[in-house]
């Protein structure tokens, strides 16, 4: 990775983080020495980017800082277009509209050569007759995840047994053509995955939950990694 690209990626990384990031962590991430990171950070600070650091604590960036317009290469544009096509074909109409809106905003920032690259795209996501329909409102489920609201529903398992579940919804996961709702199940007191097409009588509780140790999305993802 060239230095200019690394400097840009350091800024992006610091903006994503909600806590200070050490030079050692950045060095491991970008596969350079801590000394190189020290120089990179100083170069960024000298250029006016509001990064502050403290020995033994790490670096943080002022979240009010806005980056210059992002530049994409041809492969990045194609990857974005493919992802938006997949969203349009495998989610719902509301989310598809959001994806289209995002893509239009990205297009508005592109240079003339990049606009030309859009006409050369050769990777597509087409509608599939194998898509499995579901009864729940996909956008509503996403909003419950974002708002951290308990949800209750009837679930038909693979043995055709129906149970009533109350869960903390954590994520929607695509295993085309199946969508899974991952969450902490209050009945099982463990993480569970539920197929959207087997959920009925979906109800949103006004009660919200807070992330608790052992029950949060990060814990779920860690458990999934350990199972691989």
């Amino acid at each position: 990775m060239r230095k200019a690209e690394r400097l840009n990626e350091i800024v992006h990384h610091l903006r994503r983080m909600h806590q200070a990031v050490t030079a050692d962590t950045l060095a491991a991430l970008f596969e350079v020495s801590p000394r190189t990171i020290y120089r990179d950070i100083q170069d960024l600070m000298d250029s006016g980017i509001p990064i502050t650091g403290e020995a033994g604590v790490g670096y943080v960036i002022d979240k009010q800082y806005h980056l210059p317009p992002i530049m994409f290469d041809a492969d990045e544009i194609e990857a974005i277009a493919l992802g938006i096509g997949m969203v349009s074909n495998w989610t719902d109409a509301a989310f598809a509209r959001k994806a289209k809106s995002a893509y239009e905003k990205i297009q508005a920032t592109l240079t003339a050569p990049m606009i030309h690259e859009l006409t050369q795209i050769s990777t597509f996501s087409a509608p599939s007759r194998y898509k499995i329909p579901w009864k729940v409102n996909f956008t509503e489920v996403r909003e419950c995840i974002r708002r951290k609201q308990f949800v209750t529903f009837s679930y038909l398992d693979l043995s055709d047994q129906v149970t009533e579940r109350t869960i903390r919804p954590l994520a929607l996961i695509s295993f085309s053509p199946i969508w899974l709702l991952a969450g902490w199940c209050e009945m099982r007191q463990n993480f569970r995955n539920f197929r959207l097409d087997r959920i009925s009588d979906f109800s949103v509780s006004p009660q919200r939950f807070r992330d608790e140790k052992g029950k949060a999305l990060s814990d779920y993802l860690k458990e999934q990694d350990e199972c691989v």
Side-chain angles (χ1 to χ4, degrees):
M1 180 183 293
R2 293 177 300 177
K3 179 176 180 179
E5 294 175 343
R6 188 174 65 250
L7 293 177
N8 188 56
E9 288 300 317
I10 288 173
V11 173
H12 280 293
H13 186 75
L14 291 178
R15 280 177 54 82
R16 290 193 298 268
M17 296 298 101
H18 298 293
Q19 56 190 14
V21 183
T22 66
D24 287 342
T25 298
L26 291 171
L29 179 64
F30 294 103
E31 299 180 344
V32 295
S33 69
R35 185 180 295 275
T36 297
I37 293 296
Y38 296 143
R39 289 197 295 264
D40 287 348
I41 293 292
Q42 190 59 56
D43 287 343
L44 290 168
M45 294 170 67
D46 290 345
S47 68
I49 295 176
I51 296 173
T52 57
E54 183 178 340
V57 176
Y59 300 104
V60 295
I61 190 170
D62 184 348
K63 294 300 192 293
Q64 299 301 313
Y65 173 71
H66 293 284
L67 291 168
I70 298 173
M71 298 300 293
F72 300 100
D73 62 28
D75 287 337
E76 289 170 336
I77 288 294
E78 187 156 359
I80 291 170
L82 176 60
I84 286 175
M86 295 175 71
V87 168
S88 298
N89 291 322
W90 291 100
T91 61
D92 66 353
F95 206 27
R97 286 194 295 271
K98 290 295 185 180
K100 181 180 179 181
S101 174
Y103 194 43
E104 289 173 347
K105 290 177 181 178
I106 290 171
Q107 286 179 290
T109 70
L110 299 179
T111 61
M114 284 294 99
I115 292 292
H116 174 70
E117 290 291 342
L118 286 178
T119 66
Q120 309 300 312
I121 285 177
S122 58
T123 307
F124 303 96
S125 172
S128 173
R129 60 188 176 90
Y130 296 106
K131 182 177 179 180
I132 299 177
W134 53 77
K135 297 178 181 178
V136 298
N137 185 315
F138 190 88
T139 293
E140 183 179 38
V141 176
R142 290 193 303 109
E143 290 173 350
C144 290
I145 294 171
R146 183 179 296 117
R147 294 195 299 259
K148 298 185 183 297
Q149 287 181 278
F150 284 97
V151 299
T152 301
F153 52 82
S154 298
Y155 189 69
L156 178 66
D157 66 22
L158 296 179
S159 300
D160 290 331
Q161 299 297 311
V162 177
T163 55
E164 301 300 317
R165 304 297 184 103
T166 296
I167 73 166
R168 302 173 181 222
L170 300 175
L172 282 164
I173 304 167
S174 174
F175 287 92
S176 297
I178 294 169
W179 275 95
L180 299 180
L181 171 58
W184 175 266
C185 179
E186 296 296 308
M187 182 174 76
R188 301 299 187 192
Q189 284 296 293
N190 209 337
F191 294 114
R192 288 291 188 271
N193 296 317
F194 302 93
R195 285 177 50 160
L196 284 192
D197 58 297
R198 289 178 169 269
I199 292 175
S200 61
D201 301 320
F202 187 87
S203 177
V204 182
S205 169
Q207 182 183 1
R208 300 193 180 192
F209 60 89
R210 293 184 178 181
D211 287 338
E212 296 180 24
K213 186 176 182 181
K215 299 181 181 181
L217 177 59
S218 58
D219 300 301
Y220 169 84
L221 295 175
K222 181 179 179 181
E223 183 177 290
Q224 298 305 300
D225 289 340
E226 292 173 351
C227 291
V228 175

